[in-house]
Amino acid sequence: QVHLVESGGGLVQAGGSLRLSCTAPGFTLDDYAIAWFRQAPGKDREGVACITSFGGNIYYADSVKGRFTISRDNAKNTAYLQMNSLKPEDKGVYYCAADRGSYYWYDPNEYDYWGQGTQVTVSP
């Protein structure tokens, strides 16, 4: 069983920044696309960003384009989500997910492996 581990969440004021990390102890992520999803209370889980294996392709939700940057360091077996200019509506639990290949990167059903999530709160 693969377990992804997220870190880096927290409380930040609007306009601030956070960097989330995702790793998988004992499991190599090189061949996997990594995506970040978020879920606010009472809402569906939504795709935020995705990076394919070795970073060949990157995708973002329209709501975060220009503010968030997804990246990966395969030597460290870690993926990142740099979040700048945070807004209160970015609040939620952020999850990383991994899959060998997804036709619809924003569809959580495409992903086999998930982390436990990390909370991001943005105060006005």
Side-chain angles (χ1 to χ4, degrees):
Q1 186 72 15
V2 178
H3 293 285
L4 306 181
V5 179
E6 303 98 335
S7 61
L11 171 64
V12 65
Q13 287 188 325
S17 298
L18 286 172
R19 188 176 82 155
L20 307 183
S21 299
C22 171
T23 191
F27 184 78
T28 300
L29 294 173
D30 290 10
D31 295 332
Y32 288 76
I34 304 295
W36 288 94
F37 288 79
R38 66 186 180 191
Q39 189 165 21
K43 293 189 176 182
D44 292 335
R45 193 169 295 190
E46 66 167 333
V48 174
C50 176
I51 184 167
T52 56
S53 58
F54 302 101
N57 291 293
I58 290 175
Y59 308 93
Y60 295 101
D62 288 344
S63 58
V64 306
K65 281 181 182 176
R67 300 188 298 122
F68 290 12
T69 302
I70 190 170
S71 62
R72 66 191 300 160
D73 185 341
N74 285 348
K76 295 182 178 180
N77 204 41
T78 302
Y80 305 96
L81 184 68
Q82 177 67 44
M83 304 186 295
N84 298 328
S85 302
L86 282 161
K87 304 175 181 180
E89 52 264 42
D90 293 319
K91 173 184 177 179
V93 179
Y94 282 68
Y95 301 89
C96 67
D99 193 73
R100 285 194 177 273
S102 304
Y103 287 107
Y104 305 107
W105 71 266
Y106 47 84
D107 184 350
N109 295 312
E110 295 272 340
Y111 294 84
D112 292 329
Y113 306 118
W114 290 85
Q116 81 289 349
T118 185
Q119 177 71 48
V120 170
T121 303
V122 184
S123 61

